[in-house]
Amino acid sequence: MRLFYAPQSPYARKVLIVAQELGCSSDIEKVVAGAHPVQRNADLIALNPLGQIPALELADGSVLYDSRVICEYLDALCGGTLNAPTGPARWRALTEQALGDGMLAGALLARYETAARPAELQWPLWLEAQLAKSSSALEAIEKNAASLPGRIDIGTITIACALGYIDLRFPDFGWRSRFPGVAEWDAQFSTRPSLVATRPA
Ligand SMILES: N[C@@H](CCC(=O)N[C@@H](CS)C(=O)NCC(=O)O)C(=O)O
């Protein structure tokens, strides 16, 4: 299998963490692929018409995207339950995945606002509103922070990837002082070898 990814991509990081936690990361060859919302990458579009990473090419030439589908595929392939714990835990994990992915969607739009949009077209209120999604998501996560420790599933992995991306791109966001329960959990969770190995430089 070939994973098209970038070391700074939080969605690709999610896939890499899942693969490592499932013990199947050695089956995956990593291929760096540039993805940009405006300067679109024709090679990547040939694999994923959306031109986004991560994309996973299988041995038969078929390609899976996006991160949710790839994580579910790896879980099924390796016989894991990271993606689909049973009972109420499943719905909690999948809802947390949606929350973490939503934080990331907002944070990426905020990042593109300065990294991809010409200065004269930038709209600071838009950027603020995208990051506000992370604040309101973190408020909800903080209320349930007691449920996070001791869990390794697609929900906790996705939330950790969202926090890692905020730290990388918005180091002044200051979420730790505002959400101390999440900060305490993240400090512990981030020491897992799969998170250390995939931490963006
Ligand atoms: N829903 C997708 C989102 C993937 C995504 O937004 N990836 C970013 C890089 S982290 C990307 O490819 N951006 C380029 C673009 O959106 O055109 C997933 O879960 O994989």
Side-chain angles (χ1 to χ4, degrees):
M1 295 181 280
R2 294 202 299 167
L3 179 70
F4 294 83
Y5 89 117
Q8 298 86 359
S9 164
Y11 293 106
R13 185 180 186 207
K14 206 170 103 180
V15 169
L16 292 170
I17 291 172
V18 162
Q20 189 161 332
E21 292 289 345
L22 289 170
C24 59
S25 48
S26 59
D27 298 340
I28 297 178
E29 181 193 342
K30 293 191 282 177
V31 182
V32 174
H36 192 281
V38 181
Q39 287 136 33
R40 303 186 73 218
N41 175 342
D43 293 339
L44 191 53
I45 291 169
L47 294 163
N48 171 359
L50 300 173
Q52 292 186 317
I53 49 170
L56 184 72
E57 186 183 48
L58 306 183
D60 67 0
S62 59
V63 181
L64 303 181
Y65 43 83
D66 59 6
S67 65
R68 293 187 203 200
V69 177
I70 299 172
C71 289
E72 192 160 342
Y73 174 78
L74 292 178
D75 222 18
L77 186 73
C78 309
T81 56
L82 286 183
N83 228 22
T86 49
R90 171 173 167 78
W91 308 117
R92 176 178 63 184
L94 292 178
T95 303
E96 284 172 353
Q97 172 172 226
L99 195 59
D101 278 348
M103 289 169 70
L104 279 174
L108 270 155
L109 285 175
R111 163 76 180 163
Y112 291 146
E113 186 65 16
T114 52
R117 195 183 289 275
E120 66 277 13
L121 297 178
Q122 288 173 19
W123 184 12
L125 192 60
W126 164 267
L127 191 154
E128 243 172 66
Q130 296 309 322
L131 285 182
K133 290 178 188 170
S134 283
S135 291
S136 49
L138 275 162
E139 267 169 42
I141 298 166
E142 180 73 16
K143 280 188 194 138
N144 291 315
S147 75
L148 296 171
R151 282 174 46 211
I152 173 77
D153 58 39
I154 198 64
T156 51
I157 290 170
T158 307
I159 290 170
C161 288
L163 296 173
Y165 186 72
I166 290 172
D167 284 343
L168 176 72
R169 299 299 190 202
F170 304 98
D172 300 330
F173 189 60
W175 62 271
R176 286 185 175 76
S177 55
R178 290 187 287 148
F179 307 106
V182 183
E184 193 180 332
W185 164 77
D186 183 67
Q188 195 57 41
F189 196 73
S190 298
T191 63
R192 292 185 76 87
S194 63
L195 277 96
V196 172
T198 56
R199 188 169 293 146

